[in-house]
Amino acid sequence: MTALSQIAPSSAPAQGRGPFRLAVATVFVVILTILKGAMTTSTGSGMAFSDWPLSDGELMPERSYTTLPGFFEHFHRLAGATAGFCSLLLTVLVLRDRGTSQGVRRLAIGGLSLIIVQGVIGGVGVLKNLPMVTSVTHGTLAQVTLAVFAVLAFLLSARWRDIAPVTAAVPGCGRKIAAIAVAFTIAQTVMGAIARHGDRSHEHMLWGHVGNAFVVFLVVVIAAGVAVGKLGTTPGIRGLAQALVGMLIGQIALGFVALVVRTGKSPENVNHLVRASLISAHVLLGALLTVATTLLAAHVWRASRREPGGSA
């Protein structure tokens, strides 16, 4: 939450709606990239092309539209490149506007840097035949990247400007448990990525991931309850809290389905698209949970600040 703390309570997006809309568009492109990446892994298509940054030495190889593995892997790469272009354009727009706060500038640069790092890690992973360390890092940073751009869109929105401090609440209330909830969701992502990309020697991580799901459920529900109880008059907090509870229930249900149908990353999985889609839905919903939890924390941070003139 460093970027949030560097934005003055009275600051407002002075650059118009353009950067906000582009930030929202970037969020959707990153979501698409994560979905394509999840399907690539679930169908065992990660090595459909063994070269990088091109595919079969071409920008649009024939196998990308004649075979399913080629389609999943190549269009995952194209979606990532599109996300990179959107984030680059967004960063340029943000940096050119002198009225933009330092926190927003740094978050935009951070998001762009994450996408660049993601591209390099993904490429190195392909060139090294998908070692676990690059696959786990790639999968985890994807969700962190999505959360960063979601928060950036929030900071560029009219809602950020319009949220007033809740004077009836103690300044800073709800921040610690919200931050803990974010940390737990990211830890759950790491455990899930290790279980997904590791071999049988990492089987214990799978069951740790299953058990920790209930801990995450409890922590996030508590964070949402505190936010609603202390800051429930703030626009967006009740809606996010309700969405989180529904997503948590759906994610646990999908998790058990994924546990039953999981088969690793065998290339033969491309023949079982329903199964691969269910597992990928679990991955995508996990990413959306991380985003929603982070956005809840950002709302809490904004609403629990001191009145202008008080010590932050």
Side-chain angles (χ1 to χ4, degrees):
M1 297 299 170
T2 304
L4 298 183
S5 63
Q6 293 172 339
I7 300 175
S10 61
S11 66
Q15 60 274 76
R17 302 286 289 177
F20 166 71
R21 290 169 178 165
L22 183 54
V24 171
T26 304
V27 167
F28 280 103
V29 174
V30 174
I31 289 173
L32 177 62
T33 305
I34 290 175
L35 178 59
K36 294 290 292 184
M39 284 297 293
T40 297
T41 299
S42 299
T43 58
S45 303
M47 288 302 296
F49 300 101
S50 58
D51 56 336
W52 180 84
L54 299 177
S55 303
D56 283 347
E58 301 177 11
L59 288 174
M60 186 58 68
E62 182 180 353
R63 288 196 296 125
S64 69
Y65 52 86
T66 59
T67 67
L68 280 176
F71 170 77
F72 287 129
E73 169 62 12
H74 187 68
F75 280 90
H76 171 58
R77 296 183 183 188
L78 290 182
T82 303
F85 174 77
C86 289
S87 64
L88 176 60
L89 180 57
L90 177 60
T91 302
V92 170
L93 290 179
V94 166
L95 293 179
R96 286 183 61 186
D97 193 304
R98 295 182 179 180
T100 305
S101 69
Q102 279 295 101
V104 170
R105 288 168 177 259
R106 291 178 182 179
L107 202 59
I109 294 172
L112 175 60
S113 301
L114 278 171
I115 287 187
I116 293 172
V117 170
Q118 272 292 79
V120 172
I121 291 175
V124 170
V126 168
L127 297 177
K128 297 293 185 180
N129 198 26
L130 302 181
M132 189 185 79
V133 63
T134 59
S135 297
V136 170
T137 305
H138 194 58
T140 302
L141 285 183
Q143 298 198 15
V144 174
T145 302
L146 178 59
V148 165
F149 281 105
V151 171
L152 182 57
F154 174 49
L155 298 184
L156 292 169
S157 70
R159 174 174 289 179
W160 170 267
R161 177 193 63 217
D162 295 339
I163 290 179
V166 177
T167 55
V170 177
C173 69
R175 290 185 176 186
K176 287 184 179 179
I177 186 62
I180 290 172
V182 172
F184 267 86
T185 57
I186 293 175
Q188 180 71 346
T189 297
V190 174
M191 295 173 70
I194 294 174
R196 181 166 166 82
H197 296 285
D199 54 26
R200 289 189 177 276
S201 65
H202 298 90
E203 188 81 6
H204 64 284
M205 194 60 71
L206 170 64
W207 298 109
H209 178 69
V210 172
N212 193 55
F214 295 97
V215 178
V216 171
F217 183 96
L218 181 62
V219 172
V220 173
V221 167
I222 291 174
V226 170
V228 171
K230 300 290 187 179
L231 308 164
T233 57
T234 300
I237 284 185
R238 287 185 180 274
L240 280 168
Q242 292 170 355
L244 275 169
V245 173
M247 292 165 70
L248 284 165
I249 294 172
Q251 182 68 338
I252 288 178
L254 266 177
F256 278 110
V257 172
L259 189 63
V260 171
V261 303
R262 66 190 174 92
T263 56
K265 300 191 292 183
S266 170
E268 296 179 0
N269 291 348
V270 77
N271 298 317
H272 306 281
L273 290 181
V274 173
R275 182 168 60 194
S277 297
L278 288 170
I279 296 172
S280 298
H282 180 59
V283 174
L284 180 61
L285 187 53
L288 296 178
L289 261 172
T290 301
V291 169
T293 306
T294 306
L295 283 175
L296 178 69
H299 278 72
V300 167
W301 230 263
R302 181 64 170 166
S304 65
R305 70 191 189 279
R306 291 184 182 276
E307 287 276 15
S311 57

